[in-house]
Amino acid sequence: MANWAELPHELLVLIPKRVKVIEDFIAFGAVCTSWRTAATKENFDVFSPQVPLLMLADDKDDDYREFYSLSKGKVSRILYLPEARGRECFPSEGWLFTMSYYGEFNLLHPFSRTQIQLPSPKALLALQGFDEIPKGEIYHMIDKAVLSANPSLTSDYVLVISYYTDVNHLAFWRPGDLSWTKFEIEYRVGGVFNMIYYKGQFIFVTYAGEVCVFYVPGPSISQPIVESRLFWLDDNLNLFRHKKHSINFYLVEVDDKLLLVNRFAHPRRERNEPPREEGDGPKTFKFEVYELDVINGKLKKINTLGNLAVFLSVNGASFVESSKFTGVKPDHIYFTDDWREENAVLEDGGGRDMGAYNLEDGNVESFYPELSLSLICPPTWITPSF
């Protein structure tokens, strides 16, 4: 047939049903109008979740962003994405929370370029009694931004952010809200490192190993009541013995269970130490995995992930069944460079400390063959979604 756009619709719908990777499905729908009519979610229901794409650093002076596909082993998508240029990006539910230096917050879908405007940083800081953002501090204002659901699929969702002025604070926004709502949590917690929406609740873990569980009702309830409780992991982990290492904590939902993943790294080089070949930033050397019981505040050590692979990045974590995809190794933890405070003092920013950790033998290997560095937005995993 000379014109592929004229394929009968009953034949077109058979093509996406044979596609297993959502990035190929998106490319299929971009061919022409008639093909786009067949690129519906109902025609793509193969594997969920999908293998995350590595959004490479914002290190080029243009409006395009590159995405590295682990399954294909190459940069498979280069998107025109001016909305993300010069912005710090926090991925959640297939969307990006973007933050610009000039004081804009948005939710951005990277593949459709759909944007949802959010209340401004000034509205956020007004909750703390500040009139303006201190010059140069915008890039370090937000720690985390987590959605309860994909805004493409529902309007009944909540966005929770962790921000700070003198100490860390939490606020939330729901569709229809005109401003941010500050959390009134009775506990004074440390800096939030990782946060997740799990079984109707938000859960975060701090840099010190504190875990807080809290509930935020959806937009259908006009007067939200935030319920929260706090417990500390030190009795389970004996964190004191790890003080000589840098430690990061991640929360990931796997098959209805909540896992805590601990990441250990040699700290940033001190001034009196000789330079390292990898640069001056932290260097990851080990991970530990635990199943977290949020009701009793207890942990159970897990020595293997089996067929699963876990992906960790600055704003969250996800997993896939490796046997369903090419290029993904079982029992591995794929991590990006999210040592934000440590990398902020480096001239070219973060992006060096990335790799795949074999939970069975403890080896770390590279999964991305190049070097992608940025002070503003180093490489991070994004799960493709509609």
Side-chain angles (χ1 to χ4, degrees), residues 86-303:
R87 292 174 177 243
E88 199 163 3
C89 299
F90 298 85
S92 181
E93 294 291 332
W95 287 65
L96 297 173
F97 174 92
T98 66
M99 178 174 61
S100 77
Y101 185 84
Y102 298 102
E104 291 182 353
F105 291 162
N106 290 289
L107 287 173
L108 169 67
H109 192 278
F111 298 102
S112 69
R113 293 179 58 196
T114 301
Q115 285 199 96
I116 300 173
Q117 188 173 2
L118 301 170
S120 70
K122 288 185 177 180
L124 184 64
L125 291 181
L127 299 177
Q128 305 302 126
F130 287 82
D131 295 328
E132 60 182 22
I133 304 168
K135 185 177 180 181
E137 292 189 10
I138 182 65
Y139 288 131
H140 305 289
M141 180 180 176
I142 300 296
D143 277 330
K144 295 291 172 289
V146 175
L147 288 163
S148 65
N150 186 339
S152 300
L153 306 178
T154 179
S155 61
D156 188 13
Y157 65 88
V158 179
L159 170 67
V160 173
I161 59 172
S162 167
Y163 68 102
Y164 58 92
T165 48
D166 54 336
V167 295
N168 272 76
H169 299 279
L170 295 165
F172 66 87
W173 174 87
R174 306 168 304 174
D177 289 353
L178 299 179
S179 188
W180 299 99
T181 300
K182 180 183 176 182
F183 280 100
E184 298 298 337
I185 296 180
E186 58 182 307
Y187 323 106
R188 183 180 176 89
V189 299
V192 174
F193 182 81
N194 199 245
M195 184 160 44
I196 189 175
Y197 184 73
Y198 173 72
K199 292 187 176 181
Q201 302 176 110
F202 286 92
I203 304 172
F204 70 77
V205 57
T206 71
Y207 287 85
E210 300 163 301
V211 174
C212 184
V213 182
F214 57 96
Y215 165 76
V216 184
S220 58
I221 299 179
S222 59
Q223 297 296 325
I225 299 175
V226 178
E227 302 173 355
S228 63
R229 58 189 179 85
L230 181 76
F231 59 89
W232 198 35
L233 297 175
D234 190 55
D235 292 339
N236 297 275
L237 298 176
N238 190 13
L239 296 177
F240 181 78
R241 63 186 172 92
H242 296 301
K243 289 298 183 183
K244 63 180 180 180
H245 302 306
S246 296
I247 308 175
N248 281 350
F249 302 99
Y250 304 84
L251 298 168
V252 55
E253 182 179 359
V254 174
D255 291 339
D256 216 32
K257 298 178 181 178
L258 184 62
L259 301 187
L260 174 75
V261 181
N262 300 342
R263 175 179 181 174
F264 301 90
H266 299 297
R268 181 171 61 87
R269 179 180 68 89
E270 301 297 334
R271 292 183 178 179
N272 59 347
E273 293 180 354
R276 300 173 184 161
E277 293 182 0
E278 307 85 8
D280 293 342
K283 187 65 175 177
T284 298
F285 67 91
K286 186 178 74 168
F287 287 87
E288 293 177 350
V289 182
Y290 298 86
E291 182 179 342
L292 174 58
D293 180 350
V294 294
I295 296 178
N296 299 308
K298 299 297 183 181
L299 297 174
K300 181 175 70 174
K301 183 77 176 289
I302 294 177
N303 296 315

Side-chain angles (χ1 to χ4, degrees), residues 327-353:
V328 182
K329 296 182 178 180
D331 206 23
H332 275 64
I333 299 173
Y334 292 85
F335 59 93
T336 59
D337 191 347
D338 53 20
W339 305 98
R340 298 181 72 215
E341 292 187 8
E342 292 86 343
N343 290 330
V345 301
L346 302 179
E347 183 178 355
D348 46 10
R352 287 185 176 86
D353 189 28

